[in-house]
């Protein structure tokens, strides 16, 4: 099969190679990949922002495809089912975090496209218990960004403790943010978007945001909650200062540049809070796809041929993609 790999010894690039079709473990299914989303985490894996977990790896953790084989102990989606392969690949199931419903914090957790080979390939495996059966009414290209950008954004929204009908600020407006904004608006929130990209500002307004301005601009009103999607630590004090009393800032990224010093009175006093987001639970994904089945989400997708995966990552790094990028697999 054809695949792209990121090598720890050659950060900043990915290479196109031929690999054997993987054989599923006893509890895994083999998926013929139709499309795979291009996520900022893939960029962090390629560029070494995340420490390498293996000498080389096939990136990609937003893969949509069809189950074509299953291991003897795999239970769940059968052959012929359309499924999604997400970031969270496996947890221990027995530690104190797993036992209390916080499997995203499992110290033994492993991740697709970082610890194990992912979806920048014609075939990929996934533990059957961690694959998602996907809702109808969406194309493969529309579903791919939901598998990480959507799920992480959904968890970040819940971590932000936005009150019903509240005022939400979104900082950065890429793949995850433009999906999360639609979920929040569908639930009755008033959304203000802050991004340096004029194209992203226009998309935010098209999707129903109440306002869209520069990332460092003051909001038109105090915010009940905010989510930081941009991997820019200098925006943390900006977002905190925009919060009303009792507001929460949720930081959604797996990577963030340095945070400047905070002033207690300006940024934290009056019970303003900061929360990080670490991966997701499987329930987050189930909840997101239930929401997507009930309220139509319109992902904005830029499609790339499989041969152009390196160009897609370069475009993502340079901020040339509005919405989400998706790779189409060769036949």
């Amino acid at each position: 099969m054809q695949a792209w790999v990121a090598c720890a010894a050659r950060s900043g690039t990915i290479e196109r190679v031929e690999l054997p079709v993987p054989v599923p473990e006893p509890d895994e299914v083999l998926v013929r990949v139709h499309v795979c989303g291009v996520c900022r985490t893939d960029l962090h894996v390629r560029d070494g922002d995340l420490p390498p977990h293996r000498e080389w790896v096939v990136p990609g953790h937003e893969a949509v495809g069809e189950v074509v084989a299953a291991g003897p102990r795999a239970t769940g989606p059968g052959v012929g089912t359309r499924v999604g392969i997400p970031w969270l690949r496996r947890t221990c199931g027995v530690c104190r975090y797993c036992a209390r419903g916080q499997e995203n914090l499992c110290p033994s957790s492993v991740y697709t496209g970082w610890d194990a080979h992912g979806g920048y390939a014609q075939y990929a495996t996934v533990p059957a218990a961690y694959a998602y059966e996907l809702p109808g009414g969406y194309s493969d290209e529309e579903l791919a960004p939901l598998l990480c950008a959507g799920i992480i954004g959904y968890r970040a929204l819940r971590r932000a403790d936005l009150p019903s009908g509240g005022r939400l600020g979104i900082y950065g407006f890429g793949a995850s943010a433009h999906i999360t904004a639609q979920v929040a608006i569908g639930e009755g929130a008033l959304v203000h978007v802050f991004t340096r990209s004029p194209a992203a500002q226009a998309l935010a307004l098209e999707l129903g945001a109440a306002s869209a301005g520069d990332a460092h601009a003051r909001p038109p009103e105090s915010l009940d909650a905010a989510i930081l999607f941009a991997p820019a630590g200098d925006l943390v004090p900006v977002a905190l200062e925009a919060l009303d009393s009792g507001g929460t800032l949720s930081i959604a990224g797996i990577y963030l540049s340095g945070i400047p010093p905070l002033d207690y009175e300006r940024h934290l006093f009056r019970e303003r809070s900061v929360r990080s987001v670490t991966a997701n639970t499987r329930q987050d994904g189930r909840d997101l796809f239930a929401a997507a089945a009930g309220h139509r989400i319109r992902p904005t997708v830029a499609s790339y041929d499989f041969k152009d995966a390196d160009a897609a990552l370069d475009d993502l790094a340079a901020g040339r993609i509005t919405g989400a990028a998706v790779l189409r697999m060769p036949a």
Side-chain angles (χ1 to χ4, degrees), residues 58-79:
V58 177
H61 54 274
E62 296 179 326
V64 176
E66 178 184 346
V67 175
V68 294
R73 296 203 305 270
T75 58
V79 171

Side-chain angles (χ1 to χ4, degrees), residues 67-326:
V67 175
V68 294
R73 296 203 305 270
T75 58
V79 171
T81 304
R82 182 169 70 164
V83 298
I85 300 177
W87 173 239
L88 183 67
R89 183 177 184 86
R90 195 185 291 276
T91 58
C92 73
V94 296
C95 71
R96 64 183 184 275
Y97 301 106
C98 289
R100 66 192 190 204
Q102 293 178 298
E103 64 182 2
N104 59 307
L105 302 179
C106 174
S108 301
S109 57
V110 295
Y111 299 96
T112 305
W114 191 19
D115 297 291
H117 296 318
Y120 285 24
Q122 290 177 289
Y123 292 88
T125 61
V126 60
Y130 290 79
Y132 290 108
E133 294 190 42
L134 301 171
Y138 290 85
S139 68
D140 292 342
E141 288 81 0
E142 290 174 316
L143 287 167
L146 300 186
L147 284 159
C148 179
I151 294 172
I152 290 297
Y154 187 87
R155 183 170 184 85
L157 178 60
R158 295 294 172 251
R159 294 277 291 163
D161 279 344
L162 180 67
S164 178
R167 301 156 298 178
L168 174 68
I170 291 181
Y171 290 81
F173 204 69
S176 191
H178 93 286
I179 295 169
T180 306
Q182 294 180 64
V183 175
I185 291 168
E187 294 177 346
L190 192 70
V191 173
H192 299 286
V193 170
F194 307 92
T195 174
R196 66 186 180 183
S197 165
Q201 292 173 11
L203 176 60
L205 294 174
E206 179 187 333
L207 293 174
S211 72
D214 183 76
H216 288 84
R218 289 286 300 176
E221 57 185 334
S222 295
L223 306 173
D224 296 306
I227 306 174
L228 176 58
F229 287 103
D234 65 299
L235 289 176
V236 170
V238 173
L240 284 170
E241 197 166 353
L243 289 177
D244 202 353
S245 299
T248 298
L249 169 62
S250 175
I251 301 176
I254 191 173
Y255 170 83
L256 189 70
S257 61
I259 301 173
L262 299 178
D263 180 273
Y264 179 69
E265 185 172 356
R266 287 175 57 197
H267 302 129
L268 294 171
F269 191 55
R270 297 194 60 78
E271 301 194 353
R272 285 171 285 189
S273 303
V274 182
R275 287 181 168 178
S276 66
V277 175
T278 300
N280 61 273
T281 67
R282 282 173 284 178
Q283 191 58 48
D284 292 324
R286 297 182 193 110
D287 291 344
L288 170 69
F289 286 116
H295 174 77
R296 187 65 163 83
I297 297 172
R298 294 185 293 142
T300 298
V301 174
S303 293
Y304 288 76
D305 287 337
F306 179 76
K307 64 181 178 60
D308 297 322
D310 52 350
L313 286 170
D314 288 342
D315 287 348
L316 179 61
R320 292 189 289 262
I321 294 172
T322 300
V326 172

